[in-house]
Amino acid sequence: MSDRTLLLAGNWKMNHDHLEAISSVQKLAWALEDAKLEEGSCEVVVIPPYTDIRSVQTLVQGDKLWLKYGAQDVSQHEPGAHTGEIAASFLSRLGCAYVVIGHSERRADNHETNEIVAAKIRAALSADLTPILCVGESLEQRQERTHIDFTLGQLEESLAGFGADELDGLVIAYEPVWAIGTGETATAADAAEMAAAIRARLVERYGDATAASTRILYGGSVKTDNVSEIVASADVDGALVGGASLSGPDFAALCKAAVAK
Ligand code: PEP
């Protein structure tokens, strides 16, 4: 049994305006209380759109909730002339703990390369944000059985140039692209196999301590009824959840199922 804290992170994507965000976080907090989930049993994180973050911050701080929150992306640039970008330092000032980097939707829609992902990780770390680095293969790569090499290649390139001392506390989300938002879930064995391969590569590159402290999540159509099987594997330390995190009560039920694994 590892001493890594189970992490359940809800990526809302482009859903919920700031008023809906307040309602969703309130309902999540009440449902976590009803489910008797307490701080320390797991870490629960919501990742709303940028425009919701200030409202979520006010609620979390005002009501002293133990939930954490983060952002779905970050600029690789320092504050300055970059229209439409959001600097890492702005997110930390808003109390964000985490930032998702390299989500497959951003890699596909915004042409984010591993090099850009690495620059964003550097920006996040410099502002004391914990990156949730997303990696994962396409359906074609899985069918060709190149999925492990591809995913480890993404991992290596996204972390190029970092030393072990910089990566303490890093979170990696293994998200097979074919399982995101499709209702298709990798089997618990598939998730376990990739998580073990990722951890083995971290041992090779950064040593035992960094590999042991890195949390590896699975993401891709995780729901209340499949989460416990997925997080039961020794190397899977939680889940990055899209659709099933939008309703506060449903996400709380999922968190409860994960903790009860
Ligand atoms: C995601 O977007 O990171 C994700 C895993 O989505 P879903 O749970 O909806 O597949």
Side-chain angles (χ1 to χ4, degrees):
M1 176 108 177
S2 90
D3 53 10
R4 294 181 292 270
T5 305
L6 186 69
L7 173 59
L8 289 318
N11 172 19
W12 291 357
K13 312 191 186 198
M14 199 170 71
N15 293 292
H16 290 343
D17 63 28
H18 73 287
L19 298 174
E20 292 163 331
I22 293 169
S23 157
S24 183
V25 170
Q26 270 169 338
K27 287 180 185 154
L28 173 61
W30 293 330
L32 289 173
E33 208 177 311
D34 286 349
K36 303 206 179 341
L37 275 189
E38 285 165 11
E39 189 165 13
S41 60
C42 63
E43 225 180 304
V44 178
V45 177
V46 292
I47 306 178
Y50 287 135
T51 50
D52 300 359
I53 295 175
R54 176 69 176 143
S55 305
V56 171
Q57 178 192 34
T58 304
L59 185 58
V60 167
Q61 292 183 351
D63 288 2
K64 297 192 173 32
L65 304 179
W66 58 274
L67 298 171
K68 293 184 180 167
Y69 52 93
Q72 298 174 16
D73 184 36
V74 66
S75 176
Q76 69 266 43
H77 302 294
E78 292 288 319
H82 300 287
T83 303
E85 297 278 291
I86 303 290
S89 56
F90 301 170
L91 298 175
S92 348
R93 288 293 297 274
L94 282 168
C96 288
Y98 291 94
V99 59
V100 173
I101 299 181
H103 191 281
S104 58
E105 286 158 12
R106 293 205 58 85
R107 290 176 184 267
D109 299 348
N110 301 77
H111 314 292
E112 286 191 8
T113 60
N114 291 326
E115 206 181 352
I116 293 173
V117 168
K120 290 185 173 198
I121 293 175
R122 191 158 293 290
L125 293 174
S126 70
D128 287 330
L129 297 167
T130 299
I132 301 178
L133 163 62
C134 299
V135 292
E137 82 283 357
S138 65
L139 183 57
E140 200 182 358
Q141 286 154 340
R142 179 155 282 266
Q143 285 166 341
E144 288 167 350
R145 309 298 301 161
T146 55
H147 55 288
I148 293 190
D149 284 350
F150 176 82
T151 302
L152 296 181
Q154 271 188 327
L155 177 78
E156 297 239 8
E157 288 182 23
S158 302
L159 296 179
F162 290 95
D165 53 332
E166 296 175 285
L167 298 180
D168 199 32
L170 177 73
V171 178
I172 295 169
Y174 165 53
E175 297 210 310
V177 178
W178 50 271
I180 296 181
T182 57
E184 294 283 333
T185 318
T187 63
D190 292 336
E193 177 193 42
M194 189 65 82
I198 290 172
R199 203 173 304 282
R201 185 58 59 92
L202 292 173
V203 170
E204 267 173 48
R205 291 286 183 263
Y206 303 104
D208 291 340
T210 301
S213 71
T214 301
R215 282 180 292 177
I216 302 174
L217 313 182
Y218 168 78
S221 299
V222 175
K223 306 269 182 296
T224 302
D225 57 8
N226 60 18
V227 69
S228 45
E229 196 190 353
I230 287 166
V231 301
S233 147
D235 284 304
V236 180
D237 307 307
L240 183 56
V241 182
S245 70
L246 290 175
S247 144
D250 289 355
F251 190 39
L254 186 153
C255 296
K256 188 175 181 187
V259 169
K261 69 181 168 187

